[in-house]
Amino acid sequence: MRQPIIAANWKMHKLNSEAVAFAESFLPLVQDSDAAEIVLAPPFTALSSLGSALAGSSVQLAAQNVYPEESGAFTAEISPPMLVDLGCRYTLVGHSERRALFGEQDDFIARKALALLEVGIRPIVCVGETLEEREAGRIEDVVGGQLQGSLASIPAGTTSEIVIAYEPVWAIGTGKTATPEMAQEVHGFIRKELSTRFGEGSEEIRIQYGGSVKPENIADLMDQPDIDGALVGGASLDPVSFAKVARLQRS
Ligand code: PEP
């Protein structure tokens, strides 16, 4: 049985004071809920203050990115041990904005995922097709290729430690959500690919859906057999709205 996982991707939003204020409003709204494991990914600058504000709660801290080296001359980059030091349990890798705006490729994403696992941080590996690729009938080709490339170095036996986020690029920040059936179709394909790659262990891997998830659609998405949670951008910035999503509440 896979525990649902709901993660907030705050992207480049929230100052320290705003992150702490979010935690103060949010924690009372979810403290009696065990519907899902809850993860917050603030910008690097708010990891420390948000981590302190979350102390003693079951809400987990995540980073949005990492550089796959332990230390060294990599100006402005953040290493896996630095994220451990801040209390991160998860880290996003390969978000479509990193792929599209910063040219990140699967082999680099694979290095990040492995470097995180080596220090005990769980990577949330993001994949997803553009509208153009969907319309050209290339979903399996694109998502299958991203999975193969991004998971290339993941050792067998670590399947309970990795999370996949399927985020169709055309649904991110656009208000357009894939229908639960459209999402399930791709999640089913991802599950099959994972099974080829990892065998039985693939059943442990949680697959999140991402793309304009909000209180109005979370319950229907979660009804699908291969949707194990959500990666949430816009609707995660407001504590009330994100608490409804995290409680998997139908509204
Ligand atoms: C995201 O950034 O990962 C995301 C899914 O954003 P949104 O929920 O705003 O579409």
Side-chain angles (χ1 to χ4, degrees), residues 7-11 92 95-97 126 165 167-168 171-176 209-214 231-236:
N9 174 14
W10 285 354
K11 311 190 184 189
L92 306 184
H95 190 279
S96 63
E97 287 153 16
C126 305
E167 300 202 298
I172 297 180
T174 59
K176 289 183 198 156
Y209 169 76
S212 300
V213 173
K214 46 189 182 271
L231 180 55
V232 189
S236 73

Side-chain angles (χ1 to χ4, degrees), residues 62-215:
Q64 297 174 18
N65 192 19
V66 69
Y67 191 77
E69 291 290 341
E70 204 179 313
S71 62
F74 303 102
T75 301
E77 294 298 333
I78 307 287
S79 74
M82 291 171 182
L83 297 182
V84 171
D85 196 36
L86 289 166
C88 289
R89 183 75 182 102
Y90 290 88
T91 292
L92 306 184
V93 295
H95 190 279
S96 63
E97 287 153 16
R98 302 294 317 167
R99 292 177 187 265
L101 303 174
F102 302 97
E104 293 196 8
Q105 308 272 338
D106 290 328
D107 53 347
F108 190 40
I109 295 160
R111 283 178 56 206
K112 295 183 185 201
L114 180 62
L116 289 167
L117 286 170
E118 283 172 350
V119 296
I121 294 180
R122 296 171 165 175
I124 299 178
V125 181
C126 305
V127 297
E129 83 287 356
T130 62
L131 187 57
E132 214 176 29
E133 290 162 342
R134 173 169 281 260
E135 287 176 347
R138 297 189 51 232
I139 301 175
E140 295 196 355
D141 193 24
V142 171
V143 172
Q146 289 173 337
L147 281 174
Q148 216 171 11
S150 310
L151 301 178
S153 23
I154 304 285
T158 55
T159 44
S160 61
E161 297 299 301
I162 58 174
V163 177
I164 306 295
Y166 166 60
E167 300 202 298
V169 177
W170 48 271
I172 297 180
T174 59
K176 289 183 198 156
T177 324
T179 63
E181 294 73 23
M182 282 160 83
Q184 169 56 32
E185 204 178 331
V186 184
H187 279 236
F189 165 73
I190 292 173
R191 181 82 56 209
K192 250 196 299 153
E193 292 291 287
L194 294 174
S195 158
T196 308
R197 169 78 172 77
F198 295 108
E200 258 180 36
S202 62
E203 284 300 312
E204 296 183 310
I205 301 177
R206 293 175 291 175
I207 310 173
Q208 299 176 304
Y209 169 76
S212 300
V213 173
K214 46 189 182 271

